[in-house]
Amino acid sequence: MVQVKSLADLQNLKASLQNKLELREKGEKADSLVQIKVAMATCGIASGAKKIMEYFMNELEKRSIGAVVTQTGCMGYCYAEPTVEVKLPNQEPVVFGYVDLKKVDEIIEKYIKNGELVNGIIPVNYETIDDNNK
Amino acid sequence: MHLLVCGGTGCRASASDAIVGKLQKELDEKNLQDEVQVVMTGCFGFCEKGPIVKVLPDNTFYVQVTPDNAKEIIEEHVIKGRKVEHLLYKDPTTKKEISDSKHMGFYKKQLRIALRNCGVINPENIDEAIARDAYSALAKVLGEMTPEQAIQEMIDSGLRGRGGGGFPTGLKWKIALSNKADQKYVVCNADEGDPGAFMDRSILEGDPHSVIEAMAINGYCIGATKGLVYIRAEYPLAIERLKTAIKQAREYGLLGKNILGTGFDFDIELRYGAGAFVCGEETALIHSMEGERGEPTFKPPFPAESGYLGKPTNVNNVETYANIPVIYLKGANWFNKIGTDKSKGTKVFALAGKINNVGLIEVPMGTTLREVIYEIGGGIKDGKKFKAVQTGGPSGGCLTEKHLDTPIDYDNLIASGSMMGSGGMIVMDEDDCMVSIARFYLEFTVEESCGKCSPCRIGNKRLHEQLDVICKGKGTKDDLEKLKNLSLVIKDTSLCGLGQTSPNPVLSTLDNFYHEYIEHVHDKKCRAGVCKDLMKYLIDNEHCVGCTACARVCPVGAIAGERKGPHTIDQTICIKCGACMEKCKFNAISVQ
């Protein structure tokens, strides 16, 4: 792996990684690539998030949908675990709670394929440090 | 187009199910069911103004909607594209309607600084962290600031320790810098032990790089080249992710020798704790890391003078560290505008207990308990009545209705008889017995006391025994006086923070729920029905038909009576299991 040896190195690396992420988000495959994040902290895993993540990966492949499935930390909605964030190309991410295998099916068939939202969305109820410019 | 209807408990109670039905019916009638979808969502958190209906994609936010409004929403908004003005939220100060939820003050209730990357990045991929500014603060500090300047920035930010004590972080660093030594240490306290608290675990699991980066900054500021994370072995996932993160940071050269070409060396090792509560106390933590017994020692000397292996050591908590990179990136003056006069920034709380939205939240200091419980937490479960909220874990206290509008910060919580603690927040309702709650926390401290000093070892044990006697209905009013005196003695004479705060649950419940104690000792009653020894199962002769079902289910044969005649329970045999009451089909058995 490349070593980061100076401030300039870090800035270049950051810029290239941001580009890479942006490409993943808005790049060439913008029409087809779906991003899915599964909350996999202790709370999520205890509620069965691992199974959900596997199922997503398998089913998306079976149904030939180009998607990136990654894990992430706790989103804070412990009452509604397992929680999953789905980001369709060029759209705001949506978080679904109480996800089970049946719900995964519904999310794939309705939301990912047709853009129809399904029951169980958790609305965003916080501000990020980027929104906050006091 | 989507119509989102809140399906949180609060909104459901005010007919959001019927709203969904009505909206759907209207759409079907107008043949719009294919173009517009009605979807039920989780709690918006704005239960006070529920039921909520949100329209996508334009983000229109309707409040206090009734089923009768469904037709209007469809005809006006969906078909004609005109907002239904009288259902919009009115800003309480400007009295103006706000249609886009993004401009509502309510969304600013939570602000994620420490949790900024939790649930956003993949914690096992350093690239995602770097793309979201990880290690940029370290680069800034190493490249542009002297240790003195960096510490001054920390002092200016007003950040106080998030582990509970609330000691100013910058000041702590300044003291550690002023002590000269050939080797100094930076320690991250990840020994989270309060029952119900899991903020530190979530941060380490969701964003380990923020902690690593802040420890390196800390090392540069005080002149330490070694960092240690003291983490409990019962957090295996946090340990694994932290190890992965440290490895990746080393591969990039962000830990190790000559970081970013500045000549600064820093590396981090892990030390595992066995999960003793007292090891959250810094001196006990340091002894545990040295391989000694996890027992506290008298301060001074403070760890900043003589800590790990006798060298100057700076100990900070996980959440404190998670705030630090943002402070350097956005500046002390950004950070110190958030929060209250003496408590700056935000605090993460683990909401638990009888609350609808159990979870992890982060709010600016100065938010009230009411906002946290009712607007973010979604209110009390099953529509029950709020009784108390416990903050600060076993060292804290119970706050009641009258404290709900107190802005949360370090000083206000202490003034109300509790403390910030690490951020566990357990909500209790009318079914919780406050004497039993006090007994529960004492049971915890009795088990966790290290036993070194007698006030804590013996005093807490006696305190627990006394509470147990009261719960069993054998207490007297004199016992309450003794309880209070003993508590004050333990507080005054214990060696470390554990003993000095362990009577707090007793004192705060005595203060706020004295009537419940009186009921226990005087009337021999437990209003919440928790203390089994104070309960009595009784059979009502008028309703009892003599079916014998209760007598057959009773495991100890306490119920006697003729077939088709009224039955009675022998109170001296009854073990209060409640099986008879469950079995009775005629509601003839009640509990008193």
Side-chain angles (χ1 to χ4, degrees), chain A residues 62-93:
Chain A
K62 264 191 220 159
R63 300 176 203 189
S64 321
I65 297 167
V68 186
V69 184
T70 53
Q71 63 170 354
T72 187
C74 174
M75 300 184 193
Y77 313 110
C78 311
Y79 64 98
E81 292 290 353
T83 46
V84 170
E85 183 188 284
V86 182
K87 189 182 177 311
L88 296 187
N90 308 316
Q91 284 197 33
E92 292 277 305

PDB file of all heavy atoms in Angstrom, chain A residues 62-93:
ATOM      1  N   LYS A  62     -28.841 -12.682  -8.073  1.00  0.00           N
ATOM      2  CA  LYS A  62     -29.798 -13.545  -8.760  1.00  0.00           C
ATOM      3  C   LYS A  62     -30.713 -12.743  -9.667  1.00  0.00           C
ATOM      4  O   LYS A  62     -31.066 -13.170 -10.754  1.00  0.00           O
ATOM      5  CB  LYS A  62     -30.671 -14.262  -7.720  1.00  0.00           C
ATOM      6  CG  LYS A  62     -30.190 -15.658  -7.368  1.00  0.00           C
ATOM      7  CD  LYS A  62     -31.260 -16.363  -6.554  1.00  0.00           C
ATOM      8  CE  LYS A  62     -30.618 -17.181  -5.439  1.00  0.00           C
ATOM      9  NZ  LYS A  62     -31.570 -17.470  -4.366  1.00  0.00           N
ATOM     10  N   ARG A  63     -31.138 -11.582  -9.176  1.00  0.00           N
ATOM     11  CA  ARG A  63     -32.091 -10.801  -9.952  1.00  0.00           C
ATOM     12  C   ARG A  63     -31.393  -9.806 -10.882  1.00  0.00           C
ATOM     13  O   ARG A  63     -32.011  -8.870 -11.392  1.00  0.00           O
ATOM     14  CB  ARG A  63     -33.050 -10.073  -9.006  1.00  0.00           C
ATOM     15  CG  ARG A  63     -33.826 -11.066  -8.138  1.00  0.00           C
ATOM     16  CD  ARG A  63     -34.714 -10.405  -7.125  1.00  0.00           C
ATOM     17  NE  ARG A  63     -34.974 -11.334  -6.010  1.00  0.00           N
ATOM     18  CZ  ARG A  63     -35.836 -11.139  -5.038  1.00  0.00           C
ATOM     19  NH1 ARG A  63     -36.552 -10.045  -5.006  1.00  0.00           N
ATOM     20  NH2 ARG A  63     -35.999 -12.013  -4.075  1.00  0.00           N
ATOM     21  N   SER A  64     -30.077  -9.978 -11.022  1.00  0.00           N
ATOM     22  CA  SER A  64     -29.254  -9.156 -11.923  1.00  0.00           C
ATOM     23  C   SER A  64     -29.427  -7.661 -11.727  1.00  0.00           C
ATOM     24  O   SER A  64     -29.708  -6.918 -12.666  1.00  0.00           O
ATOM     25  CB  SER A  64     -29.550  -9.471 -13.392  1.00  0.00           C
ATOM     26  OG  SER A  64     -29.748 -10.815 -13.579  1.00  0.00           O
ATOM     27  N   ILE A  65     -29.297  -7.229 -10.484  1.00  0.00           N
ATOM     28  CA  ILE A  65     -29.352  -5.797 -10.228  1.00  0.00           C
ATOM     29  C   ILE A  65     -27.955  -5.371  -9.793  1.00  0.00           C
ATOM     30  O   ILE A  65     -27.397  -5.946  -8.863  1.00  0.00           O
ATOM     31  CB  ILE A  65     -30.371  -5.483  -9.116  1.00  0.00           C
ATOM     32  CG1 ILE A  65     -31.765  -5.902  -9.570  1.00  0.00           C
ATOM     33  CG2 ILE A  65     -30.333  -3.999  -8.758  1.00  0.00           C
ATOM     34  CD1 ILE A  65     -32.786  -5.939  -8.482  1.00  0.00           C
ATOM     35  N   GLY A  66     -27.395  -4.398 -10.497  1.00  0.00           N
ATOM     36  CA  GLY A  66     -26.056  -3.929 -10.155  1.00  0.00           C
ATOM     37  C   GLY A  66     -26.120  -3.116  -8.872  1.00  0.00           C
ATOM     38  O   GLY A  66     -26.789  -2.094  -8.827  1.00  0.00           O
ATOM     39  N   ALA A  67     -25.450  -3.598  -7.828  1.00  0.00           N
ATOM     40  CA  ALA A  67     -25.538  -2.878  -6.559  1.00  0.00           C
ATOM     41  C   ALA A  67     -24.271  -3.083  -5.760  1.00  0.00           C
ATOM     42  O   ALA A  67     -23.531  -4.044  -5.953  1.00  0.00           O
ATOM     43  CB  ALA A  67     -26.737  -3.385  -5.764  1.00  0.00           C
ATOM     44  N   VAL A  68     -24.007  -2.140  -4.870  1.00  0.00           N
ATOM     45  CA  VAL A  68     -22.893  -2.271  -3.937  1.00  0.00           C
ATOM     46  C   VAL A  68     -23.502  -2.451  -2.557  1.00  0.00           C
ATOM     47  O   VAL A  68     -24.248  -1.596  -2.095  1.00  0.00           O
ATOM     48  CB  VAL A  68     -22.029  -1.000  -3.919  1.00  0.00           C
ATOM     49  CG1 VAL A  68     -20.804  -1.211  -3.062  1.00  0.00           C
ATOM     50  CG2 VAL A  68     -21.642  -0.606  -5.324  1.00  0.00           C
ATOM     51  N   VAL A  69     -23.199  -3.558  -1.917  1.00  0.00           N
ATOM     52  CA  VAL A  69     -23.708  -3.781  -0.563  1.00  0.00           C
ATOM     53  C   VAL A  69     -22.538  -3.662   0.399  1.00  0.00           C
ATOM     54  O   VAL A  69     -21.554  -4.377   0.275  1.00  0.00           O
ATOM     55  CB  VAL A  69     -24.351  -5.175  -0.428  1.00  0.00           C
ATOM     56  CG1 VAL A  69     -24.965  -5.345   0.944  1.00  0.00           C
ATOM     57  CG2 VAL A  69     -25.396  -5.389  -1.507  1.00  0.00           C
ATOM     58  N   THR A  70     -22.615  -2.708   1.340  1.00  0.00           N
ATOM     59  CA  THR A  70     -21.529  -2.577   2.317  1.00  0.00           C
ATOM     60  C   THR A  70     -22.091  -2.576   3.728  1.00  0.00           C
ATOM     61  O   THR A  70     -23.288  -2.398   3.931  1.00  0.00           O
ATOM     62  CB  THR A  70     -20.728  -1.268   2.148  1.00  0.00           C
ATOM     63  OG1 THR A  70     -21.642  -0.179   2.144  1.00  0.00           O
ATOM     64  CG2 THR A  70     -19.897  -1.265   0.913  1.00  0.00           C
ATOM     65  N   GLN A  71     -21.189  -2.771   4.681  1.00  0.00           N
ATOM     66  CA  GLN A  71     -21.605  -2.690   6.070  1.00  0.00           C
ATOM     67  C   GLN A  71     -21.273  -1.304   6.601  1.00  0.00           C
ATOM     68  O   GLN A  71     -20.412  -0.618   6.078  1.00  0.00           O
ATOM     69  CB  GLN A  71     -20.892  -3.743   6.900  1.00  0.00           C
ATOM     70  CG  GLN A  71     -19.389  -3.543   6.920  1.00  0.00           C
ATOM     71  CD  GLN A  71     -18.709  -4.437   7.933  1.00  0.00           C
ATOM     72  OE1 GLN A  71     -19.358  -5.121   8.692  1.00  0.00           O
ATOM     73  NE2 GLN A  71     -17.396  -4.425   7.943  1.00  0.00           N
ATOM     74  N   THR A  72     -21.977  -0.921   7.649  1.00  0.00           N
ATOM     75  CA  THR A  72     -21.639   0.333   8.292  1.00  0.00           C
ATOM     76  C   THR A  72     -21.909   0.190   9.787  1.00  0.00           C
ATOM     77  O   THR A  72     -22.324  -0.875  10.248  1.00  0.00           O
ATOM     78  CB  THR A  72     -22.419   1.501   7.645  1.00  0.00           C
ATOM     79  OG1 THR A  72     -21.952   2.719   8.193  1.00  0.00           O
ATOM     80  CG2 THR A  72     -23.907   1.392   7.887  1.00  0.00           C
ATOM     81  N   GLY A  73     -21.687   1.278  10.543  1.00  0.00           N
ATOM     82  CA  GLY A  73     -21.875   1.189  11.997  1.00  0.00           C
ATOM     83  C   GLY A  73     -23.324   1.405  12.389  1.00  0.00           C
ATOM     84  O   GLY A  73     -24.219   1.335  11.561  1.00  0.00           O
ATOM     85  N   CYS A  74     -23.520   1.691  13.673  1.00  0.00           N
ATOM     86  CA  CYS A  74     -24.870   1.861  14.221  1.00  0.00           C
ATOM     87  C   CYS A  74     -25.485   3.163  13.729  1.00  0.00           C
ATOM     88  O   CYS A  74     -24.878   4.213  13.818  1.00  0.00           O
ATOM     89  CB  CYS A  74     -24.763   1.889  15.741  1.00  0.00           C
ATOM     90  SG  CYS A  74     -26.286   2.257  16.595  1.00  0.00           S
ATOM     91  N   MET A  75     -26.688   3.096  13.179  1.00  0.00           N
ATOM     92  CA  MET A  75     -27.344   4.318  12.729  1.00  0.00           C
ATOM     93  C   MET A  75     -28.108   4.984  13.867  1.00  0.00           C
ATOM     94  O   MET A  75     -28.658   6.068  13.702  1.00  0.00           O
ATOM     95  CB  MET A  75     -28.317   4.024  11.587  1.00  0.00           C
ATOM     96  CG  MET A  75     -27.645   3.423  10.363  1.00  0.00           C
ATOM     97  SD  MET A  75     -28.817   3.214   9.003  1.00  0.00           S
ATOM     98  CE  MET A  75     -27.886   2.164   7.905  1.00  0.00           C
ATOM     99  N   GLY A  76     -28.203   4.309  14.990  1.00  0.00           N
ATOM    100  CA  GLY A  76     -28.865   4.900  16.157  1.00  0.00           C
ATOM    101  C   GLY A  76     -30.296   4.449  16.368  1.00  0.00           C
ATOM    102  O   GLY A  76     -30.886   4.739  17.391  1.00  0.00           O
ATOM    103  N   TYR A  77     -30.863   3.747  15.382  1.00  0.00           N
ATOM    104  CA  TYR A  77     -32.270   3.353  15.517  1.00  0.00           C
ATOM    105  C   TYR A  77     -32.385   1.937  16.080  1.00  0.00           C
ATOM    106  O   TYR A  77     -32.910   1.031  15.439  1.00  0.00           O
ATOM    107  CB  TYR A  77     -32.986   3.418  14.167  1.00  0.00           C
ATOM    108  CG  TYR A  77     -32.722   4.683  13.403  1.00  0.00           C
ATOM    109  CD1 TYR A  77     -31.954   4.690  12.255  1.00  0.00           C
ATOM    110  CD2 TYR A  77     -33.257   5.881  13.856  1.00  0.00           C
ATOM    111  CE1 TYR A  77     -31.706   5.864  11.565  1.00  0.00           C
ATOM    112  CE2 TYR A  77     -33.011   7.060  13.167  1.00  0.00           C
ATOM    113  CZ  TYR A  77     -32.245   7.044  12.023  1.00  0.00           C
ATOM    114  OH  TYR A  77     -31.999   8.213  11.345  1.00  0.00           O
ATOM    115  N   CYS A  78     -31.887   1.758  17.298  1.00  0.00           N
ATOM    116  CA  CYS A  78     -31.780   0.414  17.863  1.00  0.00           C
ATOM    117  C   CYS A  78     -33.137  -0.253  18.007  1.00  0.00           C
ATOM    118  O   CYS A  78     -33.250  -1.462  17.975  1.00  0.00           O
ATOM    119  CB  CYS A  78     -31.096   0.475  19.211  1.00  0.00           C
ATOM    120  SG  CYS A  78     -29.597   1.440  19.142  1.00  0.00           S
ATOM    121  N   TYR A  79     -34.193   0.549  18.179  1.00  0.00           N
ATOM    122  CA  TYR A  79     -35.510  -0.031  18.360  1.00  0.00           C
ATOM    123  C   TYR A  79     -36.005  -0.692  17.077  1.00  0.00           C
ATOM    124  O   TYR A  79     -36.932  -1.476  17.109  1.00  0.00           O
ATOM    125  CB  TYR A  79     -36.515   1.037  18.807  1.00  0.00           C
ATOM    126  CG  TYR A  79     -36.748   2.132  17.794  1.00  0.00           C
ATOM    127  CD1 TYR A  79     -37.849   2.085  16.948  1.00  0.00           C
ATOM    128  CD2 TYR A  79     -35.879   3.197  17.678  1.00  0.00           C
ATOM    129  CE1 TYR A  79     -38.061   3.081  16.015  1.00  0.00           C
ATOM    130  CE2 TYR A  79     -36.075   4.187  16.742  1.00  0.00           C
ATOM    131  CZ  TYR A  79     -37.174   4.133  15.913  1.00  0.00           C
ATOM    132  OH  TYR A  79     -37.375   5.109  14.986  1.00  0.00           O
ATOM    133  N   ALA A  80     -35.390  -0.350  15.954  1.00  0.00           N
ATOM    134  CA  ALA A  80     -35.904  -0.836  14.677  1.00  0.00           C
ATOM    135  C   ALA A  80     -34.898  -1.709  13.928  1.00  0.00           C
ATOM    136  O   ALA A  80     -34.968  -1.860  12.731  1.00  0.00           O
ATOM    137  CB  ALA A  80     -36.315   0.347  13.809  1.00  0.00           C
ATOM    138  N   GLU A  81     -33.931  -2.295  14.654  1.00  0.00           N
ATOM    139  CA  GLU A  81     -32.934  -3.142  14.004  1.00  0.00           C
ATOM    140  C   GLU A  81     -33.585  -4.400  13.449  1.00  0.00           C
ATOM    141  O   GLU A  81     -34.571  -4.853  14.021  1.00  0.00           O
ATOM    142  CB  GLU A  81     -31.829  -3.528  14.988  1.00  0.00           C
ATOM    143  CG  GLU A  81     -30.939  -2.387  15.440  1.00  0.00           C
ATOM    144  CD  GLU A  81     -30.019  -1.849  14.361  1.00  0.00           C
ATOM    145  OE1 GLU A  81     -29.966  -2.452  13.266  1.00  0.00           O
ATOM    146  OE2 GLU A  81     -29.391  -0.831  14.579  1.00  0.00           O
ATOM    147  N   PRO A  82     -33.047  -5.013  12.420  1.00  0.00           N
ATOM    148  CA  PRO A  82     -31.965  -4.516  11.586  1.00  0.00           C
ATOM    149  C   PRO A  82     -32.403  -3.329  10.726  1.00  0.00           C
ATOM    150  O   PRO A  82     -33.527  -3.303  10.254  1.00  0.00           O
ATOM    151  CB  PRO A  82     -31.639  -5.706  10.670  1.00  0.00           C
ATOM    152  CG  PRO A  82     -32.327  -6.884  11.258  1.00  0.00           C
ATOM    153  CD  PRO A  82     -33.485  -6.354  12.016  1.00  0.00           C
ATOM    154  N   THR A  83     -31.467  -2.387  10.541  1.00  0.00           N
ATOM    155  CA  THR A  83     -31.768  -1.241   9.688  1.00  0.00           C
ATOM    156  C   THR A  83     -30.858  -1.254   8.458  1.00  0.00           C
ATOM    157  O   THR A  83     -29.720  -1.687   8.524  1.00  0.00           O
ATOM    158  CB  THR A  83     -31.573   0.087  10.430  1.00  0.00           C
ATOM    159  OG1 THR A  83     -30.338   0.044  11.126  1.00  0.00           O
ATOM    160  CG2 THR A  83     -32.678   0.336  11.416  1.00  0.00           C
ATOM    161  N   VAL A  84     -31.421  -0.776   7.363  1.00  0.00           N
ATOM    162  CA  VAL A  84     -30.716  -0.809   6.087  1.00  0.00           C
ATOM    163  C   VAL A  84     -30.926   0.518   5.381  1.00  0.00           C
ATOM    164  O   VAL A  84     -32.037   1.047   5.393  1.00  0.00           O
ATOM    165  CB  VAL A  84     -31.297  -1.946   5.210  1.00  0.00           C
ATOM    166  CG1 VAL A  84     -30.768  -1.862   3.795  1.00  0.00           C
ATOM    167  CG2 VAL A  84     -30.985  -3.298   5.807  1.00  0.00           C
ATOM    168  N   GLU A  85     -29.852   1.061   4.805  1.00  0.00           N
ATOM    169  CA  GLU A  85     -30.014   2.286   4.021  1.00  0.00           C
ATOM    170  C   GLU A  85     -29.897   1.939   2.541  1.00  0.00           C
ATOM    171  O   GLU A  85     -28.959   1.257   2.137  1.00  0.00           O
ATOM    172  CB  GLU A  85     -28.932   3.296   4.399  1.00  0.00           C
ATOM    173  CG  GLU A  85     -29.090   4.623   3.676  1.00  0.00           C
ATOM    174  CD  GLU A  85     -27.902   5.543   3.923  1.00  0.00           C
ATOM    175  OE1 GLU A  85     -27.815   6.123   5.020  1.00  0.00           O
ATOM    176  OE2 GLU A  85     -27.054   5.662   3.018  1.00  0.00           O
ATOM    177  N   VAL A  86     -30.849   2.388   1.753  1.00  0.00           N
ATOM    178  CA  VAL A  86     -30.814   2.123   0.315  1.00  0.00           C
ATOM    179  C   VAL A  86     -30.718   3.450  -0.413  1.00  0.00           C
ATOM    180  O   VAL A  86     -31.495   4.364  -0.156  1.00  0.00           O
ATOM    181  CB  VAL A  86     -32.084   1.381  -0.150  1.00  0.00           C
ATOM    182  CG1 VAL A  86     -31.997   1.071  -1.636  1.00  0.00           C
ATOM    183  CG2 VAL A  86     -32.283   0.106   0.655  1.00  0.00           C
ATOM    184  N   LYS A  87     -29.725   3.541  -1.287  1.00  0.00           N
ATOM    185  CA  LYS A  87     -29.595   4.775  -2.065  1.00  0.00           C
ATOM    186  C   LYS A  87     -29.712   4.433  -3.538  1.00  0.00           C
ATOM    187  O   LYS A  87     -28.862   3.774  -4.109  1.00  0.00           O
ATOM    188  CB  LYS A  87     -28.251   5.442  -1.782  1.00  0.00           C
ATOM    189  CG  LYS A  87     -28.188   6.819  -2.392  1.00  0.00           C
ATOM    190  CD  LYS A  87     -26.857   7.493  -2.172  1.00  0.00           C
ATOM    191  CE  LYS A  87     -26.825   8.838  -2.877  1.00  0.00           C
ATOM    192  NZ  LYS A  87     -27.277   8.807  -4.288  1.00  0.00           N
ATOM    193  N   LEU A  88     -30.801   4.878  -4.137  1.00  0.00           N
ATOM    194  CA  LEU A  88     -30.960   4.677  -5.567  1.00  0.00           C
ATOM    195  C   LEU A  88     -30.150   5.752  -6.275  1.00  0.00           C
ATOM    196  O   LEU A  88     -29.913   6.823  -5.714  1.00  0.00           O
ATOM    197  CB  LEU A  88     -32.442   4.794  -5.949  1.00  0.00           C
ATOM    198  CG  LEU A  88     -33.371   3.736  -5.349  1.00  0.00           C
ATOM    199  CD1 LEU A  88     -34.764   3.884  -5.944  1.00  0.00           C
ATOM    200  CD2 LEU A  88     -32.858   2.334  -5.599  1.00  0.00           C
ATOM    201  N   PRO A  89     -29.711   5.485  -7.493  1.00  0.00           N
ATOM    202  CA  PRO A  89     -28.901   6.466  -8.215  1.00  0.00           C
ATOM    203  C   PRO A  89     -29.591   7.828  -8.257  1.00  0.00           C
ATOM    204  O   PRO A  89     -30.801   7.906  -8.496  1.00  0.00           O
ATOM    205  CB  PRO A  89     -28.809   5.870  -9.627  1.00  0.00           C
ATOM    206  CG  PRO A  89     -29.094   4.422  -9.462  1.00  0.00           C
ATOM    207  CD  PRO A  89     -29.966   4.276  -8.270  1.00  0.00           C
ATOM    208  N   ASN A  90     -28.832   8.866  -8.004  1.00  0.00           N
ATOM    209  CA  ASN A  90     -29.323  10.248  -8.058  1.00  0.00           C
ATOM    210  C   ASN A  90     -30.496  10.532  -7.130  1.00  0.00           C
ATOM    211  O   ASN A  90     -31.342  11.363  -7.418  1.00  0.00           O
ATOM    212  CB  ASN A  90     -29.715  10.635  -9.488  1.00  0.00           C
ATOM    213  CG  ASN A  90     -28.601  10.336 -10.453  1.00  0.00           C
ATOM    214  OD1 ASN A  90     -27.435  10.626 -10.158  1.00  0.00           O
ATOM    215  ND2 ASN A  90     -28.931   9.717 -11.562  1.00  0.00           N
ATOM    216  N   GLN A  91     -30.594   9.797  -6.063  1.00  0.00           N
ATOM    217  CA  GLN A  91     -31.681  10.076  -5.110  1.00  0.00           C
ATOM    218  C   GLN A  91     -31.146  10.145  -3.700  1.00  0.00           C
ATOM    219  O   GLN A  91     -30.078   9.657  -3.404  1.00  0.00           O
ATOM    220  CB  GLN A  91     -32.741   8.975  -5.204  1.00  0.00           C
ATOM    221  CG  GLN A  91     -33.598   9.124  -6.428  1.00  0.00           C
ATOM    222  CD  GLN A  91     -34.873   8.323  -6.306  1.00  0.00           C
ATOM    223  OE1 GLN A  91     -35.414   8.158  -5.220  1.00  0.00           O
ATOM    224  NE2 GLN A  91     -35.341   7.820  -7.421  1.00  0.00           N
ATOM    225  N   GLU A  92     -31.940  10.760  -2.835  1.00  0.00           N
ATOM    226  CA  GLU A  92     -31.582  10.811  -1.417  1.00  0.00           C
ATOM    227  C   GLU A  92     -31.651   9.404  -0.840  1.00  0.00           C
ATOM    228  O   GLU A  92     -32.535   8.631  -1.205  1.00  0.00           O
ATOM    229  CB  GLU A  92     -32.601  11.673  -0.671  1.00  0.00           C
ATOM    230  CG  GLU A  92     -32.559  13.140  -1.006  1.00  0.00           C
ATOM    231  CD  GLU A  92     -31.496  13.868  -0.219  1.00  0.00           C
ATOM    232  OE1 GLU A  92     -31.509  13.776   1.017  1.00  0.00           O
ATOM    233  OE2 GLU A  92     -30.634  14.519  -0.849  1.00  0.00           O
ATOM    234  N   PRO A  93     -30.742   9.058   0.069  1.00  0.00           N
ATOM    235  CA  PRO A  93     -30.827   7.731   0.680  1.00  0.00           C
ATOM    236  C   PRO A  93     -32.082   7.574   1.545  1.00  0.00           C
ATOM    237  O   PRO A  93     -32.583   8.544   2.102  1.00  0.00           O
ATOM    238  CB  PRO A  93     -29.570   7.650   1.542  1.00  0.00           C
ATOM    239  CG  PRO A  93     -29.000   9.006   1.596  1.00  0.00           C
ATOM    240  CD  PRO A  93     -29.606   9.834   0.522  1.00  0.00           C
TER     241      PRO A  93
END
